[in-house]
Amino acid sequence: MPMENEATVPRKNWQHQATAFLARCRAQMWGKHKEEPLAWLYRAGFSVSFAQDHFLGWNFRPMQRNAALWLGEDRAGEKYALPQGLLLPWIQESQMLRLSILGMEGDTFILEGSSLRPLVTEKGPCLLVCASDGDAFRLLQETKPGTAVMAAPDFSLLRPSDFEGFGRIRLVTPFTDDVRRLLDELRSQGRMAQAFPLPERGLVSGLLSGELSFSRIPAMALF
């Protein structure tokens, strides 16, 4: 399971709501109406075994809930959005650190209250860095032992300590100015860093739209 990398742990009521929501969506995903999520998994290239092993779930329709239940009484009267799509949980030691939903077109929505710190699956020596949880989970399916995957939705929160213990680093993400600066910084530190540029909307969106071929994934994931 993905593990924390010096992440800020979300508040307890958020973790409770997120865990309960994930449990319901996991039950729905493998219930009697599983044709829709299984068809979408196939289109995006996720295997059934990967989805089961990593506790993915499926939210069948967009919903809004009472924000106070998730974020505290100071948000009373506000709505909390839960889009349709594939649930991607980052869990460590029974704590939910972040919960994202990968939408029908491949866009990733991070549920408010989640940690926004970079999260990493394991130790190296190789590291793949993605800008979204959706792309990170999709690449995680393709990795070999010894390759970690990091999801960093906000590159400004990355610190040098986030890369300690990794010998080879590959940024698999749309090539923005922030990515260019990070690549230059890593190389200036003498690290073996490279970039694999993705389309503007990322890996999963590119696969679903046909902009990216599935045959390119090994070149992204394997060192």
Side-chain angles (χ1 to χ4, degrees), residues 1-2 47 51 74 103 122 130 137 153 162 166 190:
M1 283 300 299
S47 71
D74 57 325
E122 58 181 288
C130 301
F137 272 77
D162 292 318
F166 296 108

Side-chain angles (χ1 to χ4, degrees), residues 1-5 90 118-123 127 148-151 162 166:
M1 283 300 299
M3 59 183 285
E4 182 183 3
N5 186 26
W90 289 84
L119 296 172
V120 65
T121 56
E122 58 181 288
K123 292 301 181 182
L127 177 67
V149 179
M150 176 187 290
D162 292 318
F166 296 108

Side-chain angles (χ1 to χ4, degrees), residues 1-2 22 26 29-30 49-57 87-89 91 99 137:
M1 283 300 299
L22 175 62
R26 288 187 65 205
M29 185 168 185
W30 309 111
S49 60
F50 179 86
Q52 292 174 330
D53 291 346
H54 291 81
F55 305 104
L56 307 190
L87 272 66
L88 307 173
I91 301 169
L99 185 59
F137 272 77

Side-chain angles (χ1 to χ4, degrees), residues 18-206:
T19 300
F21 177 56
L22 175 62
R24 291 194 300 271
C25 290
R26 288 187 65 205
Q28 292 174 355
M29 185 168 185
W30 309 111
K32 62 181 180 180
H33 301 298
K34 61 185 178 183
E35 292 83 5
E36 178 185 353
L38 292 184
W40 190 92
L41 286 177
Y42 177 80
R43 287 184 57 221
F46 285 100
S47 71
V48 169
S49 60
F50 179 86
Q52 292 174 330
D53 291 346
H54 291 81
F55 305 104
L56 307 190
W58 186 264
N59 187 30
F60 276 86
R61 58 184 178 83
M63 297 184 289
Q64 291 190 330
R65 294 292 183 259
N66 182 356
L69 295 176
W70 291 72
L71 303 173
E73 290 301 324
D74 57 325
R75 301 291 295 272
E78 298 182 37
K79 297 298 184 181
Y80 189 87
L82 298 168
Q84 179 186 16
L86 185 70
L87 272 66
L88 307 173
W90 289 84
I91 301 169
Q92 183 199 18
E93 297 179 356
S94 301
Q95 289 193 113
M96 183 85 71
L97 299 178
R98 184 156 72 228
L99 185 59
S100 297
I101 298 180
L102 186 55
M104 304 298 287
E105 302 302 321
D107 298 315
T108 301
F109 180 87
I110 300 176
L111 297 194
E112 186 178 357
S114 296
S115 170
L116 296 180
R117 285 283 301 133
L119 296 172
V120 65
T121 56
E122 58 181 288
K123 292 301 181 182
C126 300
L127 177 67
L128 301 171
V129 182
C130 301
S132 78
D133 292 329
D135 290 357
F137 272 77
R138 184 60 185 83
L139 278 181
L140 179 60
Q141 180 176 277
E142 310 295 331
T143 57
K144 301 291 187 182
T147 297
V149 179
M150 176 187 290
D154 186 347
F155 271 48
S156 69
L157 297 179
L158 284 167
R159 301 192 291 260
S161 60
D162 292 318
F163 300 100
E164 290 179 0
F166 296 108
R168 301 180 66 184
I169 301 167
R170 181 179 297 150
L171 310 180
V172 186
T173 178
F175 202 70
T176 64
D177 289 340
D178 286 340
V179 172
R180 183 180 293 106
R181 283 193 292 269
L182 176 60
L183 187 63
D184 290 343
E185 180 181 352
L186 291 171
R187 287 172 172 172
S188 71
Q189 297 170 358
R191 296 184 178 273
M192 296 177 63
Q194 60 182 178
F196 194 111
L198 293 176
E200 183 178 354
R201 292 179 60 196
L203 171 59
V204 180
S205 289

